[in-house]
Amino acid sequence: MEESEKRKVLISGIKPTGDLHIGNYLGAMQQFLEFQEKFESVIFIADYHALATAYDPARLKENIYRVAAGYLAIGLNPSKVTLFKQSDVREHTELAWVFNSITTMPYLMRAHAFKDAEARNKEISVGTFDYPMLMAADILMYDADVVPVGQDQKQHIEFARDTAEKFNRMYGETFKLPEAYIKDDVATVPGIDGQKMSKSYRNTIPLFASDEEIKKQVFAIVTDSKGESEQKDPESDNIFALHKFFSKKELSDLEKRYKEGGIGYKESKEILYENIRAFVTPIRKQYDTLLGDRSFIESVLEEGAAKVRPKAEAKMQEVRRKIGVTL
């Protein structure tokens, strides 16, 4: 990325619907770290998005603390990154309602989350159906230039761009069209069953769990039945897919042993576990320290909300004026 992009706006967030996992880190949080020196980074905890599936108030509150602690533990600096809670800036939901009013149901029925829920015959809440409009509001509120996402989330950025274009056509130039940033090597992080790592699939490896919990999940990674001496395809193996992220020093040797038939899955899992443990240990210590100081987490989130609120208020004043509700 070029020097001229330093002042461009990056926005993203994570839903507080469960413990952070290595998929969150590799797919999003790591990029926030890389970009905090280059962009004006606006990172939020998507607590209103979480309401579509999280119905335990005490658990949701705890998860908010945990997500905030996780962001800070990996090295995000509140003096360089604006970290806040979505629900603390009421303009997000107000703008989402305006977008609802210019969006059709057939358009929203194209959303992957809706189609996935429908295919599984799940009862679909309005929040799940309308998820893309709140996400569009999150992104467009701050004139974001860059939105880091996984390949499976690219559609959300397309929805935001479509919504911005439609509003601009109807009411005049108001919203900037954001660009998705998809890092090729982490477009999709596989879970222990080979599907995308997701809390929804319960196939995650926790980011801040105990060594025992991490080991349990690593050793639960699904493999085929080939023995130690048999040749294996590293590109189709779920363990090797994670070695690419955590075992870079040994990667060429591991690949050679896979192809020649000189490693069993048990040994491969042991190597992966040790490398994940080595990565997690220092940031877990920081995470635990932060969770012991809830008032500090609250102050960071409050300061972040105070910083973005004037921008959100100004954008909504412009929107209200253009749609005709300001007298």
Side-chain angles (χ1 to χ4, degrees):
M1 304 224 167
E2 299 189 6
E3 189 76 9
S4 62
E5 291 183 314
K6 273 192 172 183
R7 295 184 180 275
K8 288 189 175 181
V9 177
L10 174 150
I11 189 161
S12 193
I14 294 180
K15 286 194 300 181
T17 52
D19 288 332
L20 293 166
H21 54 77
I22 63 172
N24 295 138
Y25 178 81
L26 295 169
M29 298 168 77
Q30 180 177 239
Q31 296 174 54
F32 303 160
L33 268 180
E34 294 172 3
F35 295 153
Q36 71 175 339
E37 301 288 345
K38 298 180 180 180
F39 291 95
E40 180 186 338
S41 296
V42 179
I43 310 297
F44 65 93
I45 297 172
D47 49 353
Y48 273 160
H49 279 296
L51 288 179
T53 54
Y55 304 120
D56 181 340
R59 185 62 186 163
L60 177 57
K61 186 174 183 178
E62 178 63 20
N63 284 341
I64 290 169
Y65 281 115
R66 288 176 178 269
V67 169
Y71 279 129
L72 297 170
I74 65 167
L76 289 189
N77 186 338
S79 68
K80 297 177 180 178
V81 173
T82 303
L83 180 62
F84 70 100
K85 190 156 55 72
Q86 182 187 35
S87 61
D88 284 341
V89 184
R90 66 186 66 183
E91 285 81 6
H92 284 242
T93 48
E94 182 181 359
L95 183 56
W97 178 257
V98 173
F99 289 160
N100 282 343
S101 303
I102 64 170
T103 304
T104 67
M105 289 181 66
Y107 178 79
L108 286 179
M109 288 172 73
R110 296 166 43 199
H112 297 322
F114 169 74
K115 291 199 289 187
D116 180 56
E118 189 178 41
R120 290 184 285 154
N121 293 316
K122 289 183 66 176
E123 191 169 71
I124 302 165
S125 71
V126 174
T128 298
F129 183 69
D130 197 36
Y131 192 101
M133 289 301 98
L134 181 54
M135 185 169 283
D138 298 330
I139 294 167
L140 299 176
M141 183 74 74
Y142 304 103
D143 293 325
D145 296 285
V146 176
V147 187
V149 291
Q151 183 64 48
D152 62 309
Q153 295 176 311
K154 185 179 179 183
Q155 188 191 52
H156 289 306
I157 314 308
E158 293 168 353
F159 276 21
R161 288 174 61 90
D162 287 349
T163 303
E165 287 179 327
K166 187 170 186 178
F167 187 96
N168 291 348
R169 284 197 308 272
M170 292 175 67
Y171 296 109
E173 198 68 24
T174 308
F175 296 106
K176 182 180 288 187
L177 272 59
E179 296 288 342
Y181 177 80
I182 302 172
K183 200 173 180 181
D184 292 337
D185 62 345
V186 291
T188 302
V189 179
I192 63 172
D193 59 356
Q195 298 185 85
K196 176 201 170 186
M197 188 174 289
S198 170
K199 287 169 275 194
S200 302
Y201 299 147
R202 299 183 180 181
N203 64 353
T204 65
I205 298 174
L207 185 56
F208 300 111
S210 67
D211 289 350
E212 293 74 19
E213 290 174 279
I214 293 172
K215 188 171 187 177
K216 179 182 176 183
Q217 289 302 95
V218 169
F219 275 76
I221 294 173
V222 174
T223 66
D224 59 36
S225 57
K226 290 179 180 176
E228 182 176 341
S229 62
E230 293 183 85
Q231 295 178 340
K232 303 170 184 69
D233 177 11
E235 294 308 311
S236 64
D237 176 56
N238 296 326
I239 312 168
F240 196 86
L242 292 170
H243 276 309
K244 290 179 180 179
F245 303 113
F246 293 100
S247 310
K248 291 182 179 179
K249 289 181 181 178
E250 307 105 308
L251 199 61
S252 60
D253 181 59
L254 285 166
E255 184 174 13
K256 182 172 180 287
R257 293 178 68 192
Y258 262 74
K259 290 179 177 178
E260 292 178 355
I263 188 170
Y265 291 127
K266 183 175 184 293
E267 182 185 354
S268 185
K269 289 178 179 180
E270 287 170 348
I271 294 169
L272 178 62
Y273 162 67
E274 287 299 334
N275 288 338
I276 292 177
R277 186 181 67 80
F279 168 76
V280 165
T281 298
I283 60 173
R284 181 174 58 204
K285 183 178 180 181
Q286 181 66 12
Y287 174 77
D288 290 340
T289 299
L290 285 160
L291 278 181
D293 188 357
R294 303 292 173 105
S295 60
F296 174 73
I297 293 173
E298 291 165 9
S299 68
V300 168
L301 296 177
E302 287 167 5
E303 287 170 13
K307 186 175 178 181
V308 298
R309 203 171 282 123
K311 298 177 184 178
E313 289 173 350
K315 179 62 73 175
M316 280 312 304
Q317 286 176 3
E318 180 184 4
V319 169
R320 293 185 204 112
R321 187 172 64 252
K322 287 183 173 179
I323 63 176
V325 298
T326 300
L327 301 180

